[in-house]
Amino acid sequence: MTDATTPGPLTGVTVLDLTNVLAGPYAAYQLALMGADVIKVETPEGGDLARRLGTSAELNAQLLGISFLAQNAQKRSITLDLKTESGAEALRRLVATADVLVENFRPGVLDRLGFGWDHLRALNSRLILCQVSGFGQTGPMRTKPAYDQIIQGYSGMMSVTGTAETGPLRAGFPLADTIGGLAAAFAISSALAGRARTGIGAVIDVSMLETAVTAMGWVVSNLLVDGHEPRPLGNDNGTAAPSGAFTTGDGMLNIAANKQEQFEILCTLVARPDLITDDRFRERESRKTHRAALTAELESALVARSAAEWEDVLSSAGVPAAAVLRVGEMLQSPQIRDRGLVHELAFPGGGDEPLRVLGNGIRIDGRPSAPRTPPPLLGEHTDEILAALGYSAEEIADLHEEGAV
């Protein structure tokens, strides 16, 4: 097993992070966790909007909103006013030395700032440009603004979430943003591998809408292949039964008895072997047809024990089952604690309490992908980065005086 100081696979890669809020910053955070030097380029007037987003009004006022803290560890921050010539020149110098530039402006904004792909490629032919947007760089909706909620609705995700009674529901977390960010990080890593072979950079167009649609998998394929319009099934899994969330004597329990032998073991363990030979439940397709009746029969037996007890009994016998946990319970679970998903860092700017952030659940050679430095204060590394670009102390002072940084 490697230790915490072992370089990550992207060590030596420099990423310019010109993103805001969630999908783009999340993508860049994944690269930082893999060892890339991520330089977050922010506006001097407040920086990333996420610095003001979160449940703590006090942290929002300090430009350390929890949304920002969650996905910007292991990054360095430089402030540049790209509408000034001095700020634009500093970015040009950064581009010339970088491997990747990731941005999530609306399509066309980067061009208007003077940093379209042709200009960037002229500055650095090896540069990989990743553009993350709601709808992509082309198409009739390319310029429309989009946040996670908009994409969840337009993609069809909300139409298959909830029940017939509730109507469409959004996922309780920014699912579309996260999927878009993961897709961007994957595409950038792939482009870096390609560049190692060709020596030539690439421009990547990531559509949050399209990545959300592809993540829906068989839900969309049922319509494409079979003409079956998906509908919300609540906590049930449409591919099998019994597969969903079930009420127990204490708490909810997810069960996914997708195989015939798992169904039979489940029925035996809950002391209902009669369900195995019941004509309604004997075969896989008939179980789906009589899903509600099967759920009622199983829940009448599951009430005998708690979700935690049934989890142990069923899992030990090879039936996939686990209790439905609250977020706090999940964080305290032995599995999450053993894997080291949560990492403690010094709080940005000092403070008595440490900052706890998440890694990404990926281990390489047995080592968790962990941040080593806390999220940066706004512009914390401006002078350091400018000096590395060759600016003298006097020139840096002039840039501050001009308001360009």
Side-chain angles (χ1 to χ4, degrees):
M1 179 180 291
T2 54
D3 61 34
T5 62
T6 303
L10 294 182
T11 296
V13 172
T14 299
V15 177
L16 303 183
D17 177 4
L18 275 69
T19 66
N20 275 270
V21 188
L22 212 166
Y26 185 80
Y29 183 46
Q30 306 312 301
L31 303 177
L33 289 171
M34 291 297 173
D37 177 18
V38 177
I39 299 174
K40 189 166 182 67
V41 181
E42 304 185 74
T43 62
E45 302 82 19
D48 187 340
L49 175 61
R51 288 183 177 275
R52 299 182 292 283
L53 301 178
T55 55
S56 170
E58 181 180 353
L59 289 175
N60 293 342
Q62 297 173 28
L63 299 182
L64 290 172
I66 293 172
S67 179
F68 178 83
L69 297 176
Q71 57 197 1
N72 285 284
Q74 198 62 38
K75 299 182 185 180
R76 297 189 290 160
S77 171
I78 180 174
T79 53
L80 295 176
D81 184 348
L82 300 182
K83 295 179 180 178
T84 68
E85 175 53 32
S86 297
E89 172 57 25
L91 181 59
R92 284 192 284 270
R93 292 200 199 183
L94 278 170
V95 167
T97 63
D99 297 287
V100 177
L101 187 154
V102 56
E103 60 96 353
N104 64 348
F105 300 119
R106 283 200 215 176
V109 170
L110 201 63
D111 296 77
R112 291 196 294 273
L113 290 170
F115 290 94
W117 175 234
D118 288 342
H119 187 189
L120 291 171
R121 184 166 48 187
L123 291 169
N124 183 349
S125 64
R126 291 174 54 81
L127 185 73
I128 293 165
L129 169 64
C130 181
Q131 299 179 287
V132 183
S133 62
F135 301 99
Q137 300 295 310
T138 60
M141 298 183 72
R142 63 186 291 271
T143 60
K144 288 185 177 292
Y147 283 111
D148 178 86
Q149 179 100 19
I150 304 303
I151 300 302
Q152 284 201 37
Y154 200 86
S155 67
M157 281 183 173
M158 289 175 60
S159 75
V160 296
T161 304
T163 67
E165 291 71 32
T166 66
L169 291 176
R170 67 178 287 274
F173 61 97
L175 180 59
D177 269 324
T178 302
I179 292 170
L182 285 172
F186 167 71
I188 290 167
S189 299
S190 299
L192 285 167
R195 191 189 68 178
R197 185 181 68 256
T198 66
I200 302 172
V203 58
I204 299 167
D205 174 2
V206 177
S207 160
M208 286 172 55
L209 173 62
E210 292 166 57
T211 56
V213 171
T214 62
M216 294 169 70
W218 58 260
V219 173
V220 176
S221 294
N222 280 340
L223 182 57
L224 290 174
V225 178
D226 192 41
H228 178 79
E229 180 71 46
R231 61 185 179 86
L233 294 174
N235 290 323
D236 289 328
N237 182 341
T239 63
S243 185
F246 298 81
T247 300
T248 72
D250 182 11
M252 295 288 290
L253 179 74
N254 275 322
I255 300 173
N258 293 342
K259 299 179 180 180
Q260 181 67 27
E261 58 266 36
Q262 292 170 341
F263 170 65
E264 294 179 5
I265 293 170
L266 168 65
C267 293
T268 301
L269 290 176
V270 301
R272 289 298 307 273
D274 58 296
L275 298 178
I276 299 172
T277 55
D278 189 309
D279 287 341
R280 296 171 297 171
F281 314 133
R282 188 190 304 272
E283 297 178 350
R284 180 184 182 87
E285 292 303 319
S286 63
R287 287 198 293 274
K288 289 162 60 177
T289 301
H290 299 284
R291 182 191 303 275
L294 177 56
T295 295
E297 297 285 2
L298 288 173
E299 287 188 335
S300 68
L302 290 169
V303 71
R305 300 188 186 188
S306 69
E309 290 174 307
W310 282 122
E311 176 182 331
D312 288 340
V313 170
L314 296 176
S315 293
S316 298
V319 178
V324 177
L325 302 182
R326 295 188 299 273
V327 174
E329 292 173 324
M330 172 274 295
L331 289 172
Q332 292 301 318
S333 70
Q335 180 65 26
I336 291 296
R337 293 167 68 90
D338 180 79
R339 292 279 295 180
L341 181 63
V342 180
H343 306 278
E344 287 195 355
L345 303 169
F347 205 91
D352 297 330
E353 297 295 325
L355 172 68
R356 297 199 301 162
V357 299
L358 298 177
N360 61 6
I362 297 170
R363 290 189 172 212
I364 297 179
D365 293 331
R367 176 177 56 89
S369 302
R372 300 186 185 94
T373 60
L377 301 174
L378 179 61
E380 180 179 349
H381 304 94
T382 297
D383 292 2
E384 168 189 309
I385 294 169
L386 291 173
L389 291 173
Y391 284 88
S392 67
E394 293 75 15
E395 289 172 323
I396 294 172
D398 289 340
L399 289 173
H400 283 285
E401 182 67 25
E402 294 172 23
V405 299

